[in-house]
Amino acid sequence: MSDIYFNPSHPGIAYGDGELLGPGDKGQFVKLVDNDTFQVVSDAADVPVGIIYHLDKMPLLTPADTERNKVAIFLDGGVYETDNITGTISADDDLSFDPTAGNIKVAGETETVVGKALAIEGSLVKFKLAL
């Protein structure tokens, strides 16, 4: 079971008819790799389409790279809270994704903006999804 905190405070559109190819966890950004098939972003050039909300997998089981599990992702806006971050984030920061972990970080000048930090409380970031 995941120890990542991810709360859809005011969710956008949820898409639950896809499959995740390989490992992933809630709060990670995904890209579209085939018809209804998603994968956690793994390169700075990837185009993220949403963020994982729920993954149908056996608890404590990490899928192999070729295995598929049913996945629900959020896309098209919404407000979320998570502790799945890299680095230090401040309110009003533009956010991007960490291409090695698929989680949230402050966006650099040439990076894809996936959201906007609204508030920070301890290790939690509340953000608006820009996808």
Side-chain angles (χ1 to χ4, degrees):
M1 180 146 305
S2 170
D3 59 352
I4 294 171
Y5 175 77
F6 181 74
N7 176 37
S9 303
H10 304 284
I13 304 275
Y15 181 77
D17 196 29
E19 293 181 311
L20 184 70
L21 179 61
D25 214 334
K26 62 185 175 182
Q28 288 185 303
F29 285 91
V30 293
K31 61 186 174 183
L32 185 64
V33 293
D34 201 356
N35 185 27
D36 285 336
T37 306
F38 303 90
Q39 192 171 39
V40 172
V41 295
S42 57
D43 187 272
D46 286 347
V47 177
V49 296
I51 191 166
I52 298 174
Y53 172 57
H54 179 73
L55 185 60
D56 244 353
K57 66 177 184 178
M58 296 294 290
L60 304 175
L61 177 68
T62 301
D65 290 342
T66 57
E67 291 180 325
R68 297 173 184 236
N69 287 286
K70 291 302 273 181
V71 67
I73 63 169
F74 282 117
L75 52 130
D76 199 25
V79 175
Y80 307 89
E81 293 178 310
T82 190
D83 62 357
N84 192 23
I85 63 171
T86 297
T88 302
I89 298 174
S90 299
D92 205 37
D93 281 345
D94 285 332
L95 304 174
S96 188
F97 60 91
D98 180 336
T100 60
N103 55 2
I104 297 170
K105 68 175 196 152
V106 174
E109 275 188 43
T110 61
E111 294 177 314
T112 302
V113 173
V114 297
K116 179 73 123 180
L118 301 175
I120 312 300
E121 185 175 325
S123 64
L124 292 180
V125 174
K126 184 177 279 188
F127 68 99
K128 179 180 177 189
L129 189 64
L131 300 175

